[in-house]
């Protein structure tokens, strides 16, 4: 071998992952994966450890989402891997390039009943782009490379490999990892040109841009296309902030009139799922631009659905040279609706009520958040309000759980965000119910010197379940939590800091203290349990 790497399985795996820009691992200890720790330890490669494996996978996912490069979680055999399943599934729904390296009971006595012996691969195959067991130490780097290439190939997503005990502890040799080579898919140019013509000639076009625009590094191209064709832009997921809120084509509040009146709706880089009314936009023609053919909607009749590299598609839209209709009046009308919506929001965010309304918390938060702050939503109604009232000033600063809707992302996403941005504000917005899933990992943040601010909207209930159940049945069960519970004391007991706030006027000063603290700090805001986020059901 001309250029070769040698070492134990952990060293070979880490060398291959580092070639793809992996800069840290998130993990919870287990003997099956010691060689991966040994490899990291020897070269000073950062290891962040947690109190529950789902936090490790969520942290890796946050790194993948924010940095658009692979995030790595190392999970021990059996229960370590199964505890990571919700994180893997979230990464699958979010197209996040996460690599999970799992330990695995020894191959040579498989079936004899080793500790934590379990075949993970069939379990994770449906929620990964690549899943396998490495059966030869020399094959580890090649397998890691194949897994990461699959994870980074649009449509992106997680990959999984498990390494049997004797394979990862043995020494091997392999070719040195070369530069990553990720295939780029070219969309059908005819379909792209039909999409451009539809948008340009529409009377009342709308663009909705989602996470894959960010994940595909196509934010600048989106903006160029919107400006060239003069089309109003709405966003969701990681697409939020793609256009700065002050941009003449950036809209958030006028979604209803926009979608009711549009004649062409162009959805880019996000599925036509419940968040978008399943793609039913009245009489409008639907253009669905996706990053891979697998992402085309099968439940909606689209006018055209170009599938391929989003940067190239959006560049082609920007360069469209055909006739175009004048959209000025349409944009002006939406701007009026947008301004009215903003005025209503401003009023809600200033609400001076005895029992604090969640809207007021966001009114206060907006005053202290820097434009590059990363905000993370983990909860029910409290996070729906966050989506409504927080306007990310730039892309790549808003983390929500995505369409899988998994509670418990909070501390993991916070850890990944803090590791990504040592100097930015990192703020987790948690329902009190959601807090229960991951709050123990505030300890991991404290111990490893990773300060974040947690704001709990503490209504004492599983609000997003209690209110709908009341509406449906006239009663509710399994929807109450302890009112006024001191989640701040939990974080204090874990070595961090915090306080409880009961009056609206106290929110602002508490947030100031939290961001200045330099340790994990929980602001526990007691909110009105009678307040319900206005929504139609998400269930059907
Ligand atoms: C892992 C998981 N379990 C359960 C649910 C169902 N669920 C969605 S929202 C919600 C209530 C969240 O309550 P809380 O975090 O207190 O926020 P609130 O709605 O009260 O503001 C529940 C239980 C879920 N989405 N994910
Ligand atoms: Mg709640």
């Amino acid at each position: 071998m001309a250029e070769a790497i040698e070492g134990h399985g952990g060293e070979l795996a880490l060398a291959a992952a580092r070639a793809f820009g992996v800069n840290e691992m998130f993990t919870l200890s287990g003997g099956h994966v010691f060689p991966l720790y040994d490899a990291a330890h020897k070269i000073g490669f950062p290891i962040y450890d947690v109190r529950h494996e789902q936090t490790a996978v969520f942290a890796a996912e946050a790194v993948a989402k924010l940095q658009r490069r692979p995030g790595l979680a190392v999970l021990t055999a059996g229960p370590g891997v199964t505890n990571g399943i919700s994180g893997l599934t979230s990464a699958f729904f979010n197209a996040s390039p996460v690599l999970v390296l799992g330990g695995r009971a020894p191959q040579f006595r498989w079936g004899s009943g080793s500790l934590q012996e379990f075949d993970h691969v069939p379990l994770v195959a449906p929620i990964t782009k690549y899943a396998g067991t490495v059966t030869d130490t020399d094959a580890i780097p090649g397998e890691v490379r194949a897994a990461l290439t699959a994870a980074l190939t649009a449509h992106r997503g997680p990959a999984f490999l498990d390494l049997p005990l004797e394979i990862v502890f043995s020494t091997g040799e392999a070719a040195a990892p070369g530069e990553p080579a990720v295939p780029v898919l070219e969309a059908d140019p005819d379909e792209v040109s039909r999409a451009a013509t539809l948008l340009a000639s529409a009377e009342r076009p709308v663009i909705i841009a989602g996470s894959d625009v960010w994940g595909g590094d196509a934010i600048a191209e989106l903006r160029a296309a919107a400006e060239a064709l003069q089309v109003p832009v709405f966003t969701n997921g990681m697409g939020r902030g793609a256009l700065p809120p002050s941009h003449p084509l950036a809209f958030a509040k006028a979604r209803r009139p926009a979608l009711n009146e549009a004649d062409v709706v162009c959805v880019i880089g996000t599925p036509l799922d419940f968040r978008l009314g399943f793609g039913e936009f009245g009489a409008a023609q639907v253009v669905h631009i996706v990053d891979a053919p697998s992402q085309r909607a099968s439940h909606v009749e689209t006018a055209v659905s170009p599938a391929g590299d989003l940067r190239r598609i959006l560049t082609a839209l920007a360069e469209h040279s055909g006739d175009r209709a004048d959209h000025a009046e349409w944009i002006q009308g939406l701007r009026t609706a947008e301004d009215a919506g903003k005025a209503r929001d401003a009023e809600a965010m200033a609400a001076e009520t005895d029992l604090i309304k969640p809207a007021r918390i966001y009114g206060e938060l907006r005053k202290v958040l820097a434009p590059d702050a990363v905000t993370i939503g983990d909860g029910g109604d409290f996070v729906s309000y966050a989506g409504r009232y927080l306007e990310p000033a730039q892309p790549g600063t808003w983390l929500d759980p995505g369409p899988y809707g998994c509670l418990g992302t909070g501390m993991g996403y916070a850890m990944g965000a803090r590791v990504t941005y040592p100097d930015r504000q990192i703020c987790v917005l948690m329902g009190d119910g959601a807090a229960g899933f991951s709050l123990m990992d505030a300890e991991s943040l404290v111990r490893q010197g990773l300060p974040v601010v947690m704001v709990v909207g503490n209504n004492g209930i599983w609000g997003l379940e209690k209110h709908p159940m009341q509406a449906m049945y006239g009663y509710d069960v399994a929807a109450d939590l302890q009112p006024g519970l001191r989640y701040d004391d939990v974080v204090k007991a874990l070595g961090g800091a915090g306080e409880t706030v009961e009056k609206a006027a106290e929110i602002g000063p508490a947030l100031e203290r939290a961001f200045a603290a330099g340790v994990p700090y929980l602001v526990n805001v007691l909110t009105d349990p009678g307040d319900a986020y206005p929504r139609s059901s998400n269930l059907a």
Side-chain angles (χ1 to χ4, degrees), residues 137-509:
T137 307
D138 290 350
I140 289 176
E143 279 294 303
V144 168
R145 184 181 174 86
L148 285 172
T149 303
L152 289 168
T153 302
H155 188 64
R156 298 168 190 81
F160 175 87
L161 291 173
D162 56 13
L163 310 169
L165 196 80
E166 74 275 36
I167 302 296
V168 72
F169 274 85
S170 295
T171 301
E173 188 184 2
E179 284 291 299
V182 179
V184 176
L185 178 69
E186 190 79 52
D188 177 343
D190 288 343
E191 294 186 11
V192 176
S193 134
R194 270 162 54 212
T197 304
L198 268 171
L199 266 178
S201 57
E203 296 288 323
R204 297 175 305 282
V206 169
I207 285 175
I208 303 176
S211 296
D212 299 334
V213 176
W214 166 260
D217 200 3
I219 296 289
E221 290 78 3
L222 168 73
R223 186 169 167 167
E227 287 173 352
L229 298 172
Q230 283 297 301
V231 181
V233 176
F234 294 79
T235 53
N236 72 10
M238 295 299 291
R240 299 190 70 204
L243 269 58
S246 58
H247 192 285
L249 293 171
F251 289 88
K253 311 292 161 198
R255 205 165 108 161
R256 189 159 296 172
L259 295 181
N260 282 345
E261 294 161 34
D263 58 353
V264 172
V265 176
C266 177
V267 176
I268 309 171
T270 190
L272 301 174
D273 62 15
F274 70 95
R275 295 171 299 174
L276 298 181
F278 300 99
E280 289 165 20
F281 305 124
Q285 297 197 74
V286 180
V287 176
H288 193 204
I289 299 179
V290 293
D291 64 2
S294 61
Q295 298 309 297
R296 288 186 174 126
S298 56
H299 61 284
V300 176
E301 187 111 358
T302 55
V304 62
S305 186
D309 183 67
L310 295 183
R311 287 171 83 152
R312 295 191 188 176
I313 296 174
L314 289 167
T315 301
L317 293 192
E319 289 168 357
H320 176 70
S321 57
D323 293 342
R324 48 196 70 190
D326 182 357
H327 304 145
E329 206 175 310
W330 166 238
I331 294 168
Q332 187 49 47
L334 291 181
R335 183 57 60 197
T336 307
E338 180 79 12
D339 290 345
K342 281 195 170 149
R344 276 195 302 276
D345 281 3
E347 216 171 289
M349 283 190 282
E352 197 64 57
T353 48
D354 274 351
L355 287 172
I356 296 171
K357 301 279 186 200
R360 178 64 189 268
I361 302 176
Y362 293 113
E364 298 302 321
L365 202 53
R366 283 172 64 124
K367 295 180 197 161
V368 298
L369 285 178
D372 65 354
V374 177
T375 48
I376 296 162
D378 181 11
D381 280 355
F382 189 55
V383 171
S384 301
Y385 283 116
R388 175 148 152 190
Y389 294 123
L390 295 181
E391 283 183 312
Q394 54 189 65
T397 59
W398 164 259
L399 294 176
D400 63 32
Y404 193 53
C406 187
L407 295 175
T409 55
M411 291 304 103
Y413 276 12
M415 181 178 271
R418 174 51 79 218
V419 165
T420 298
Y421 298 118
D423 300 320
R424 289 196 192 182
Q425 292 173 328
I426 309 292
C427 183
V428 195
L429 307 155
M430 283 194 291
D432 51 337
F437 288 86
S438 75
L439 205 50
M440 192 68 205
D441 262 311
E443 191 279 323
S444 311
L445 296 171
V446 170
R447 181 167 38 80
Q448 292 166 103
L450 301 169
V452 305
V453 171
M454 299 154 256
V455 180
V456 172
N458 187 349
N459 53 6
I461 55 174
W462 299 97
L464 193 152
E465 306 300 349
K466 185 177 175 94
H467 292 296
M469 195 169 178
Q470 275 290 343
M472 230 183 263
Y473 293 97
Y475 69 85
D476 66 88
V477 296
D480 287 326
L481 299 163
Q482 279 185 49
L485 200 71
R486 296 295 301 266
Y487 295 94
D488 51 328
D489 283 349
V490 175
V491 173
K492 282 186 194 164
L494 298 175
E499 61 186 290
T500 287
V501 171
E502 297 186 55
K503 291 273 165 266
E506 271 303 304
I507 302 170

